[in-house]
Amino acid sequence: MHIDKDLVAASATPLVLGILAEGESYGYAIVKRVNELSDGRMQWTDGMLYPLLHRLERNGYVRASWGTSDAGRRRKHYAITEAGLRTLAERQAQWSVVADALKQVWQTAAHPPVLGDAPAGGIA
């Protein structure tokens, strides 16, 4: 399934902050976690993740530090800050409102018309 890039962009910040709220992580592990959480339906790339992480760091939502992997390679680790936790809570509240509104409209329009179908009342 293709997920529209607008949805990916809108969900990127709360996803990354949520993942980092689980604990400190590094780029590849974050990409892998998004893949796991979406059952492989969201395929993030480094080119999408790192600009986001750098923006979150500039905004004070995450902090970065250098660490060493088990294999001895240096890599940058990211951790959520207090400001990031507050932002995550705000985004969760915002997404709840949007998700509730979508759920209501989709339940009301249980069978949306297919393009080309005549609207109710038979007027085309």
Side-chain angles (χ1 to χ4, degrees):
M1 166 195 314
H2 169 76
I3 298 177
D4 188 83
K5 70 178 185 175
D6 290 339
L7 284 175
V8 172
S11 63
T13 293
L15 267 171
V16 169
L17 291 177
I19 289 167
L20 293 177
E22 297 173 345
E24 183 177 293
S25 194
Y26 58 97
Y28 175 75
I30 294 170
V31 168
K32 187 175 173 187
R33 184 74 173 124
V34 168
N35 188 40
E36 291 169 1
L37 290 168
S38 68
D39 292 325
R41 292 172 292 192
M42 293 177 73
Q43 299 291 323
W44 283 15
T45 64
D46 292 350
M48 185 247 149
L49 176 64
Y50 286 104
L52 172 62
L53 285 170
H54 295 154
R55 186 175 73 246
L56 294 174
E57 187 177 10
R58 278 193 313 274
N59 290 338
Y61 302 152
V62 303
R63 63 176 162 70
S65 61
W66 286 97
T68 306
S69 72
D70 294 338
R73 294 181 50 201
R74 284 178 43 90
R75 61 181 164 209
K76 205 176 231 187
H77 289 255
Y78 297 88
I80 195 166
T81 64
E82 287 297 321
L85 289 170
R86 286 191 301 274
T87 298
L88 176 59
E90 290 169 8
R91 296 290 176 99
Q92 286 173 323
Q94 293 169 6
W95 273 95
S96 290
V97 170
V98 171
D100 288 345
L102 285 170
K103 182 178 178 183
Q104 289 179 55
V105 77
W106 288 336
Q107 286 175 345
T108 302
H111 301 287
V114 176
L115 289 178
D117 283 355
I123 302 172

